[in-house]
Amino acid sequence: MKDMAGPTIYLSDYAPPAYLVDEVHLTFRLAPEATRVLSRVRFRPNPEATDKTFFLHGEQLTLISAAIDGQPVTPEVSDTGLTCAVPDAPFTWEAEVEIAPARNFALEGLYMSNGMYCTQCEAEGFRKITYYPDRPDVMATFTVRIEGEEPVKLSNGNPGASDEGFAEWHDPWPKPAYLFALVAGDLVNHPDRFTTASGKDVELNIWVRPGDESKCAFGMEALKKSMTWDEEVYGREYDLDIFNIVAVDDFNMGAMENKGLNIFNSSCVLASPETSTDGNFERIEAIIAHEYFHNWTGNRITCRDWFQLCLKEGLTVYRDSQFTADMRSAPVKRISDVITLRARQFREDNGPLAHNVRPESFQEINNFYTATVYEKGAEVIGMLKELVGDEAYDKALDLYFTRHDGQACTIEDWLTVFEETTGRDLSQFKRWYSQAGTPRLKVREAWEDGTYTLHFSQMTPPTPGQPEKLPQVLPIAVGLLGPNGDEVQETTLLEMTEAEQSFTFPGLAAKPVPSILRGFSAPVILERETTNAERAFLLAHDTDPFNKWEAGRMLAKDGLIRMITDGAAPDAAYLGALQATLADDSLDPAFRALVLALPSEEDLAQTLFDAGVTPDPEAIHTARERLLEAMAAELEPLLTRLYHDHQVPGAYSPDAGPSAARALANGALALLSRRDGGALAAQQYAGADNMTQQLAALTCLLIAGKGTSEVQAFYDQWQADRLVIDKWFALQIAYAAPAKAAAVTEALTQHPDFTMKNPNRFRATLGALAGNPAGFHANDGAGYRLLADWLIQLDPLNPQTTARMCSAFETWKRYDADRQDLIRAELERIAAQPGLSRDTSEMVGRILAA
Ligand SMILES: [Zn+2]
């Protein structure tokens, strides 16, 4: 275990690798406590390198032997790698090392999960497998031989020779070590085939633990849809004879795009109607697509260094959003993405962990797999497409794939293909990659002699290390509505480049109502003085589904803020507008379900903080509960109708249509349960034949303060299904009364099924506590203490998950002095642990520096 903060690594220090690799041969002799890894690597000096030191990364390895061109050598070994004198000409490096996968609880490198061997190498896990230049700009072909008793032995590329005790694999596509993967175990497969556009036949497999075979069909369909979509939309075909997906229970992330051998957290691939919700199905479809799309945006074209992570992640998240929009409802996908962006990325961008989409320094790269790199990275691609147009985007992408295939690239390479295909100067646009923080966009308007003018000003608040900000390029999509609700100006894209800028719309008969930032065309916070009458008008008439939803959300938020700060009564105007929207059967039920959902407690806390008010988590919770009660009372007849009208008869299908109906019906049920004490929910629970209906009903029972016997029944029914039991843990904590949340969580950590070694279970428990804001921030500090206790226990085993979960504390400066003192004490207690990991040490340090 490494201790304390590591050295800081800077983008500006990038230097090309001293040696390049042409070929890698690896042999694994598997054994839980003592796996031997034999490597044979063909190196050649890099003519472009200035520093000629031969250094190979390596951590927690026992070196058995090493040789150069067949002659034994004795390298100089340190905690981080080795150096050795080498010829100034191509040479062959051979080494044998020993590692202990059974004792690897960090889940990075080669480790074991339920008796199965698997790997996770991104970002820097390969150095825990053998000595190697573990950096993404060193790309090579890999040939792998796996020796062991396990019936199934997989690696990247195409299969070669195999027999009972061994299997060989060859990957013809040069790749960096972070895309290496190995799996060996007692697995069963769900097979299928796919023929690519050019007629290539590809074998497809999803590999799972025996017993999970029935949960693979949906994932397989999603994979085939993704393969077709990438051919049709981006012209990208698959390039190997076989594509394997493996489900693993113990996994730090969602999934990993290793070449030809994607490894998935089992929660992100296993699906069945009985055990998965509609939300699970949609997420699984998106993650399978995401990892598959990486084959081109990430694998064939990779990142030069880890500062360029957004090059592959921003683009691939953008591509998977496009895919979901095409498979399901585009407006609903956009609204859902923005809800997530605001909840996770805006929160990060406005706190101590704010960083550029392309960071300029880090201590531990694992800490930069963030909402900013992924989600804001995707927003930047979306803005670029808006600015250049669809046709130019397609042309630029074609050039990107042609020019950079087989290369390790930078953001500069990416922007250059756009500059060359469009003739645009993107130097100002590039600030989106180098400036942290969420821009505030203020709008004023003027109306004179038939001309309507919008005056915009933009400002980005200071973020850590960046006191001054420059104006960014903002694509602002605007439409105008006439007084009768008709659109008098269809969506037009305004391109703002200055700190202040005005746009005029002449020749209008009457003062219009503006619909600004349609489709959420830029990731900014829009500030505009408006009235609730105007919001209700937009909710009723806006033709842009995003802004229609946004108007309802602003109306809800405004009323909630007044309830929180002034003790105001629930806003009758809001309830009236909500009723009219929900009753409009011409609107997609999924859209109406989103309109029905109130802003989250976290969202309200951030809004209050932005307005200079110290948020009180308890007051926010109470006000939100009061509004929910009022909605239930006021809308009861309509909710009853919506519930009954949107029951889906027949066999369960996770498709968009039935999912949308269930979303609206279950949204209605949650409110109705506040009226009938959970009677209808109990009925739904008893009759449910799928997890969506069962879990929704159980949630409603908990909201109604009931469900004790159902909670037990649910456990009894599902105790053998680890993924459903994760839901069981999370649900009880997420819906615990704030004063009891820490105690409920603590009791569940004593449950025999709780284990901190499984990241899914840990997140379902401690992560759920952090996700119950009024409970987590209860003023006795019990929530803070409990989380810190567990983070301290987890860190020596799994630094990556520990560090990531420290972000529960990232908003601490928002709160009152007492809460800040309590949180600071916990952060300092974590920081003072002897032997604290580099990951956690960096995160706590950044949060404390706020
Ligand atoms: Zn990814």
Side-chain angles (χ1 to χ4, degrees), residues 298-442:
N299 300 2
R300 288 284 284 259
I301 303 178
T302 194
C303 304
R304 185 193 71 177
D305 53 73
W306 290 119
F307 297 103
Q308 322 293 333
L309 182 58
C310 61
L311 178 73
K312 76 175 178 79
E313 293 306 340
L315 178 54
T316 308
V317 170
Y318 182 69
R319 273 151 52 73
D320 83 54
S321 296
Q322 288 182 299
F323 170 77
T324 300
D326 284 354
M327 295 298 125
R328 292 162 182 267
S329 152
V332 167
K333 173 61 178 163
R334 185 61 188 145
I335 294 166
S336 310
D337 280 352
V338 175
I339 292 172
T340 309
L341 183 81
R342 283 171 169 159
R344 298 182 53 222
Q345 201 279 323
F346 280 22
R347 164 183 161 128
E348 186 167 80
D349 229 355
N350 292 292
L353 299 178
H355 58 273
N356 302 344
V357 169
R358 179 168 70 178
E360 269 150 36
S361 69
F362 60 76
Q363 291 174 9
E364 174 50 67
I365 184 59
N366 285 337
N367 289 336
F368 286 86
Y369 284 74
T370 59
T372 297
V373 169
Y374 279 65
E375 270 84 42
K376 190 174 178 181
E379 291 295 318
V380 174
I381 311 275
M383 284 190 287
L384 191 54
K385 186 163 183 270
E386 281 279 313
L387 289 168
V388 303
D390 294 353
E391 214 174 296
Y393 176 85
D394 291 347
K395 256 197 201 161
L397 266 285
D398 285 343
L399 180 59
Y400 179 65
F401 290 123
T402 317
R403 178 180 289 173
H404 295 295
D405 188 12
Q407 295 179 4
C409 294
T410 60
I411 290 303
E412 283 72 16
D413 296 326
W414 164 254
L415 290 177
T416 300
V417 298
F418 279 87
E419 290 191 321
E420 286 186 17
T421 44
T422 64
R424 264 174 180 264
D425 174 0
L426 293 173
S427 45
Q428 187 186 359
F429 184 80
K430 201 178 162 188
R431 284 176 196 157
W432 279 106
Y433 290 97
S434 59
Q435 217 167 252
T438 309
R440 309 299 201 260
L441 179 63
K442 274 205 170 104

Side-chain angles (χ1 to χ4, degrees), residues 257 290 294 313 374:
E257 70 263 22
H290 178 97
H294 267 315
E313 293 306 340
Y374 279 65

